[in-house]
Amino acid sequence: MRLATRANGTPDGELMIVSDDGARWCAAGADWPNLLTAIERWDAAEPALRALAAQDSGDWDALDAANVRAPLPRSWQWLDGSAYTTHGELMQIAFGLDPVPTDRPLMYQGLSDRFLAPTETARFPSQADGIDFEGEFGVIVDAVPMGVSVEQAARHIRLLVQINDWSLRAIAPIEMKTGFGWVQAKPPCSMAPFAVTPDVLGSDWRDGRVCLELGVDWNAKRFGRVDGSEMAFSFPELVAHAARTRDLVAGTVIGSGTVSNATYATRGSACISERRAIEIIAHGAPQTPFMADGDSVHMVAKSSDGAAPFGAIDQRVAVIAPN
Amino acid sequence: MRLATRANGTPDGELMIVSDDGARWCAAGADWPNLLTAIERWDAAEPALRALAAQDSGDWDALDAANVRAPLPRSWQWLDGSAYTTHGELMQIAFGLDPVPTDRPLMYQGLSDRFLAPTETARFPSQADGIDFEGEFGVIVDAVPMGVSVEQAARHIRLLVQINDWSLRAIAPIEMKTGFGWVQAKPPCSMAPFAVTPDVLGSDWRDGRVCLELGVDWNAKRFGRVDGSEMAFSFPELVAHAARTRDLVAGTVIGSGTVSNATYATRGSACISERRAIEIIAHGAPQTPFMADGDSVHMVAKSSDGAAPFGAIDQRVAVIAPN
């Protein structure tokens, strides 16, 4: 089942069920006005929404991409991991940081009061902050009790999403060196249009990982085509890590961190900072600049048959003070 | 004006206006069902709520402390600073960390999907995690646009609160060393019963600081009596720092970090970890253990005339696995 959210003037938008081809939609109805409401009572919501989805006979309204918001326009909690080992190693080079222990998941709490729409312009105060995209995957859980096992955590993963985790690279290492994590370096993320139940991915959802290829284009030029399968920790492990000392509120989004592969030489990267680290290794200095005012980024995850279960992120950068 | 929240079976509770002596209450009414709703339209809410408050003729219902929740039982964003220089210096000793730059505010994003009630038992998975309280102050802002000046930020501070920022000290330095900040080390915070408009504090709200004495008792023994005035950065500076690269959603809570004073030898501390650092300085090793199952903490901020504008936090610790 594929879900999306339509702008309706409310902060949470209106929940839509979307046809398997992503082209048409039907309202989820008054019982499930938005996705946050549905995920809070998912055991009741899922069968009701699936019953509606089964009624699609091709006569639903055409989906208007301009009216589509993030599937979850806001949530009470966003916890982003950094589960791709190659990304972590390259970012230490990019930021000039010491290696960190890899025996437990890396995770920070980020801004969740808004997730930008898939085609929403991303506003930043200054180009000098080092504007970068980060292509990644995420899961949405229902309420998870503190202390769950990895096996139990897996059963709370209800929906999968694709995320662009906007990052400001000039600020990131300054904040990291305090040990407090990121605030200024992590403005709001964006989501691709569709949140999907894991069954939509078939065998591409395996070992608790989204095993799709994520294509990333910067200003309409291919930048990376990365493989989601190389997470050192699975999503259930990330959920259990997050729930070690807290109950996770329903609607919590847990991110994979930037998708990255050991074969970056051929696959490219899902963020600019990683490419700059590769350039530092090769040439002693970064060569690729960060994003400029007006730049665009396009991200779409595809299965081997060419299907794009999450739809595409297509965003443009607007810098308030371009210099 | 003093506001509080009453349990009514909803996640956000029911907003109450509380009498100046904190003893009686009146419902804020259907237009302002809860504090989150009110802060989202504070320019309209404040005069309406003040008009109701002015009607108190001593016949309001008595406040039932057992039914009082955190004034803001949940919010979309909680950003906690660490603005007391002495606290920062002592925590570096406690955690064995290198000094961090002090030219900009320290801040992390924490769990905001729930704030515990002032008398709610705090549940933790294990005593071995190093259970600690942290007494601090906070401000609640209405919507703050990205890039505000410190002067503009000051005008968005609508309410003041008193907070117990529960912390797990065995995990904190492990998470700090990753640079990602705290997830497991920071379970939900608690709030004292009353959120107050700044005018309630009179001259004790000055230079953007809560200049009250915060008394902290652990198991009914005085632990600290710390002075809130020694923040290196004011609350308006913390708000402007938080809003540097993001719009702040209405209801964002910004914390001061643990209140701490250069005269800690006579004033004591507002968290155990700080006392342990002082013991390390004096004796080469910490002597005070962290909290145990069943322990209590009491925190109340008082003005020089003995008034307690926020009321008191009175919590007990419940450890799920005491060993």
Side-chain angles (χ1 to χ4, degrees):
Chain A
M1 181 169 55
R2 193 182 300 231
L3 300 172
T5 293
R6 186 165 169 264
N8 71 343
T10 69
D12 299 300
E14 178 185 6
L15 182 60
M16 301 187 278
I17 301 158
V18 178
S19 60
D20 290 343
D21 61 2
R24 285 159 294 111
W25 69 283
C26 139
D31 285 347
W32 316 106
N34 57 64
L35 185 53
L36 199 52
T37 305
I39 201 76
E40 286 167 354
R41 298 198 295 129
W42 189 251
D43 283 340
E46 185 176 12
L49 297 172
R50 282 193 187 274
L52 275 171
Q55 292 171 17
D56 177 23
S57 58
D59 59 349
W60 287 358
D61 286 340
L63 194 70
D64 176 7
N67 209 30
V68 169
R69 302 184 58 190
L72 198 55
R74 60 177 179 176
S75 187
W76 297 105
Q77 187 167 246
W78 156 239
L79 298 167
D80 195 12
S82 180
Y84 293 90
T85 310
T86 303
H87 177 70
E89 291 168 355
L90 290 171
M91 291 305 284
Q92 285 154 22
I93 293 167
F95 287 165
L97 299 172
D98 294 331
V100 297
T102 55
D103 57 331
R104 44 184 277 142
L106 295 165
M107 189 172 284
Y108 71 95
Q109 180 144 10
L111 188 172
S112 62
D113 60 78
R114 71 202 70 189
F115 287 94
L116 304 183
T119 58
E120 189 168 350
T121 297
R123 297 160 53 245
F124 302 101
S126 167
Q127 206 161 294
D129 289 339
I131 302 163
D132 199 357
F133 46 80
E134 285 197 349
E136 57 181 277
F137 298 109
V139 300
I140 304 176
V141 295
D142 59 6
V144 180
M146 181 166 74
V148 288
S149 67
V150 172
E151 291 67 30
Q152 289 165 332
R155 294 196 287 272
H156 291 282
I157 295 174
R158 301 309 199 164
L159 293 165
L160 311 178
V161 290
Q162 182 197 315
I163 292 168
N164 178 11
D165 176 28
W166 287 104
S167 298
L168 298 174
R169 302 303 192 184
I171 306 171
I174 297 168
E175 293 192 324
M176 284 188 86
K177 281 171 189 164
T178 68
F180 279 56
W182 302 288
V183 174
Q184 293 182 348
K186 291 287 187 181
C189 301
S190 319
M191 283 187 189
F194 309 127
V196 302
T197 49
D199 58 283
V200 168
L201 264 57
S203 63
D204 291 330
W205 171 247
R206 63 175 180 271
D207 303 328
R209 292 160 172 86
V210 176
C211 300
L212 297 176
E213 273 195 350
L214 179 65
V216 179
D217 295 345
W218 177 15
N219 291 337
K221 278 181 58 180
R222 175 52 47 106
F223 189 80
R225 203 189 70 245
V226 290
D227 166 10
S229 68
E230 286 180 30
M231 288 168 77
F233 296 95
S234 69
F235 277 113
E237 288 174 303
L238 296 182
V239 173
H241 177 87
R244 161 83 167 73
T245 64
R246 64 177 68 178
D247 298 317
L248 302 183
V249 65
T252 294
V253 187
I254 308 258
S256 65
T258 312
V259 179
S260 182
N261 302 124
T263 54
Y264 55 75
T266 49
R267 287 199 164 271
S269 297
C271 71
I272 299 171
S273 197
E274 220 185 271
R275 177 181 283 188
R276 287 165 58 94
I278 295 164
E279 291 166 348
I280 290 172
I281 295 169
H283 311 293
Q287 300 179 328
T288 305
F290 289 111
M291 295 181 91
D293 189 38
D295 276 11
S296 70
V297 65
H298 174 87
M299 297 180 174
V300 62
K302 289 197 174 164
S303 57
S304 53
D305 65 358
F310 304 109
I313 288 173
D314 254 311
Q315 291 188 277
R316 204 164 276 282
V317 162
V319 178
I320 293 168
N323 306 307
Chain B
M1 182 168 55
R2 195 182 298 232
L3 300 172
T5 294
R6 185 165 171 263
N8 71 345
T10 70
D12 298 301
E14 180 186 4
L15 182 59
M16 300 187 278
I17 300 157
V18 178
S19 59
D20 289 343
D21 61 1
R24 285 160 294 112
W25 69 282
C26 142
D31 284 348
W32 316 106
N34 57 64
L35 185 53
L36 200 52
T37 305
I39 201 77
E40 285 167 355
R41 296 198 296 130
W42 190 249
D43 283 339
E46 185 176 13
L49 297 173
R50 283 194 187 272
L52 274 173
Q55 292 172 16
D56 178 21
S57 57
D59 60 347
W60 287 358
D61 287 339
L63 195 71
D64 176 7
N67 210 29
V68 169
R69 303 184 58 189
L72 200 55
R74 60 177 179 175
S75 186
W76 298 106
Q77 188 166 244
W78 156 237
L79 297 167
D80 196 11
S82 181
Y84 294 90
T85 310
T86 304
H87 177 70
E89 291 169 355
L90 290 171
M91 292 304 284
Q92 284 156 21
I93 293 167
F95 287 164
L97 298 172
D98 294 331
V100 297
T102 55
D103 57 330
R104 44 184 276 142
L106 295 165
M107 190 172 283
Y108 70 95
Q109 179 143 10
L111 187 171
S112 62
D113 60 78
R114 69 202 71 188
F115 287 94
L116 303 182
T119 58
E120 189 168 348
T121 298
R123 297 159 54 245
F124 302 102
S126 167
Q127 207 161 293
D129 290 339
I131 301 164
D132 200 357
F133 46 81
E134 284 197 351
E136 57 182 277
F137 297 110
V139 300
I140 304 177
V141 296
D142 58 7
V144 180
M146 181 166 75
V148 288
S149 67
V150 173
E151 292 66 30
Q152 291 165 331
R155 294 196 286 273
H156 291 283
I157 294 175
R158 300 308 197 165
L159 293 165
L160 311 178
V161 290
Q162 181 197 316
I163 291 168
N164 178 12
D165 176 29
W166 287 104
S167 298
L168 298 174
R169 302 303 192 185
I171 305 171
I174 297 169
E175 292 191 326
M176 284 188 85
K177 280 170 191 166
T178 67
F180 279 56
W182 302 290
V183 174
Q184 293 183 348
K186 293 287 188 182
C189 300
S190 318
M191 283 188 188
F194 308 128
V196 303
T197 49
D199 58 283
V200 169
L201 264 55
S203 63
D204 291 330
W205 170 247
R206 64 175 180 271
D207 303 328
R209 292 160 172 86
V210 176
C211 300
L212 297 176
E213 274 194 350
L214 178 65
V216 179
D217 296 345
W218 177 14
N219 291 336
K221 278 181 59 180
R222 175 51 48 107
F223 189 80
R225 204 189 71 246
V226 289
D227 165 8
S229 67
E230 287 180 28
M231 288 167 77
F233 296 95
S234 69
F235 277 112
E237 288 174 304
L238 296 183
V239 173
H241 177 86
R244 161 81 168 74
T245 63
R246 62 176 72 180
D247 297 317
L248 302 184
V249 65
T252 293
V253 187
I254 308 258
S256 66
T258 311
V259 179
S260 182
N261 304 122
T263 54
Y264 55 75
T266 51
R267 288 200 164 271
S269 297
C271 72
I272 299 171
S273 198
E274 221 185 271
R275 177 180 283 186
R276 287 166 59 94
I278 295 164
E279 292 167 348
I280 290 172
I281 295 168
H283 311 294
Q287 300 178 327
T288 305
F290 289 110
M291 295 182 92
D293 189 38
D295 277 11
S296 69
V297 65
H298 174 87
M299 297 179 174
V300 62
K302 288 195 174 165
S303 58
S304 53
D305 65 358
F310 303 110
I313 289 173
D314 255 312
Q315 292 189 276
R316 204 164 274 283
V317 162
V319 179
I320 293 167
N323 306 305

